[in-house]
Amino acid sequence: MTNKPKDWVFSDPRLKEMKQDYAAYTEEDFKVWKILFERQIVNLPKAASKAYLEGIKEINFTADKIADFEDVNERLAKSTGWAIQVVPGLIDDDLFFGLMNNRRFCSSTWLRKMEQLDYLEEPDMFHDAFAHMPMLTNQPYVDFLEKLSGIALRHIDDKWAIELLSRIYWFTIEFGLIREDGELRIYGAGILSSAGETKYSLSDEPSHYDYNVRRIMNTPYWKDKFQDKYFVIESYEQLYESIPEIEAVLEDMLAEATQN
Ligand SMILES: [Fe+2]
């Protein structure tokens, strides 16, 4: 990877030119978006991070209109310089990190059906848009994502390294909490798109630990049930500033792995 130019990902043949076909959304799609949006937005003023609440205004999402990526991209261009890249669903790790290393956030464009409102095997565009995109207006947060992806690309052929870095991604971008004015607030997208986990993650049921790079890298996660622990940052700058530590702890743990 080291000799590749930073923007190699855009000429990769696996990356298909895909666009959101807005006209193809059906009446049912608009209904599903509205139900999900209205159901979750009422929970967020007391639960979501300020960055998210400001972000969702800045990006102008509403219940009546499925997110339009062209509009999102115009707004992000003026905000943090990021953009949405439409992908077919799950893509190879190197493309995923390669895109984020070039300030492109991957999103699918399909929306769950009415009968799947509460359970999905794979994230749809409600998760990708409603939960992730507002946070892309926060500069230290996206800078963190760009640099974290850079580390992943340097270790892309090492499965263990990617697993350790995925734990960081998981316990921050997907399931991260932040302390604001002495209270726990959510910025992780996996929580923000789930009404059940929004309530649970802030309750006394799970454990809440201060953000700790080494501890996170030693913490496996699961995808099929709520986490039993969450990690709490003090600020998005703290995330960005932890990049050198992530790199150092990763080197440490990889060296340990080769000794054993
Ligand atoms: Fe996600």
Side-chain angles (χ1 to χ4, degrees):
M1 280 290 156
T2 42
N3 295 324
K4 283 190 177 181
K6 192 180 178 194
D7 61 356
W8 63 271
V9 70
F10 298 119
S11 49
D12 192 290
R14 287 169 299 162
L15 192 71
K16 303 275 184 287
E17 180 62 41
M18 289 182 69
K19 284 210 147 145
Q20 181 186 33
D21 183 0
Y22 203 87
Y25 288 121
T26 63
E27 212 171 296
E28 179 180 349
D29 292 330
F30 276 89
K31 262 189 209 152
V32 165
W33 173 272
K34 189 176 167 73
I35 291 171
L36 292 169
F37 191 103
E38 286 181 338
R39 206 166 65 170
Q40 184 60 346
I41 200 77
V42 293
N43 298 324
L44 297 185
K46 288 200 174 112
S49 158
K50 282 179 202 155
Y52 176 86
L53 295 171
E54 283 162 15
I56 195 164
K57 272 192 214 142
E58 190 174 338
I59 218 154
N60 200 27
F61 286 168
T62 61
D64 295 323
K65 194 169 179 288
I66 294 174
D68 177 344
F69 296 173
E70 229 171 88
D71 187 45
V72 170
N73 281 345
E74 269 173 38
R75 287 167 190 269
L76 287 180
K78 288 185 209 136
S79 169
T80 52
W82 274 57
I84 304 309
Q85 175 90 33
V86 175
V87 293
L90 299 176
I91 56 169
D92 294 338
D93 283 343
D94 63 328
L95 288 181
F96 178 71
F97 289 118
L99 285 164
M100 290 198 293
N101 196 228
N102 284 281
R103 304 181 184 175
R104 295 289 196 286
F105 194 80
C106 299
S107 178
S108 50
T109 58
W110 64 277
L111 205 56
R112 69 193 78 177
K113 296 285 166 218
M114 205 59 94
E115 60 274 12
Q116 301 168 295
L117 283 185
D118 292 304
Y119 182 75
L120 273 186
E121 305 225 334
E122 171 178 346
D124 70 340
M125 72 95 74
F126 183 75
H127 168 80
D128 291 339
F130 179 86
H132 277 288
M133 292 178 194
M135 287 302 301
L136 300 177
T137 59
N138 185 282
Q139 199 68 56
Y141 171 97
V142 287
D143 291 346
F144 166 73
L145 206 44
E146 181 182 341
K147 297 285 180 209
L148 182 70
S149 303
I151 303 175
L153 288 174
R154 288 195 286 283
H155 294 275
I156 201 69
D157 299 323
D158 183 336
K159 276 208 165 77
W160 182 230
I162 296 301
E163 166 62 24
L164 296 175
L165 293 168
S166 298
R167 292 175 182 178
I168 297 282
Y169 185 90
W170 187 263
F171 285 110
T172 58
I173 303 302
E174 293 293 353
F175 291 92
L177 299 180
I178 185 169
R179 204 175 328 269
E180 287 175 352
D181 306 323
E183 310 247 358
L184 292 178
R185 290 284 187 264
I186 304 160
Y187 71 93
I191 310 176
L192 288 168
S193 54
S194 155
E197 195 156 0
T198 292
K199 205 165 171 210
Y200 165 85
S201 67
L202 299 177
S203 75
D204 293 336
E205 233 176 298
S207 308
H208 299 108
Y209 299 112
D210 288 343
Y211 180 66
N212 179 314
V213 166
R214 192 176 287 271
R215 187 162 194 167
I216 293 177
M217 283 186 167
N218 278 295
T219 305
Y221 57 87
W222 42 76
K223 293 187 168 175
D224 51 353
K225 55 180 177 176
F226 293 170
Q227 310 304 308
D228 63 352
K229 49 182 84 69
Y230 297 92
F231 291 88
V232 185
I233 59 170
E234 297 297 327
S235 68
Y236 299 103
E237 284 77 10
Q238 182 190 16
L239 275 186
Y240 180 69
E241 283 159 13
S242 75
I243 286 290
E245 193 190 350
I246 292 172
E247 211 152 15
V249 173
L250 178 68
E251 294 303 337
D252 249 27
M253 289 181 71
L254 292 178
E256 275 165 31
T258 46
Q259 277 162 19
N260 293 335

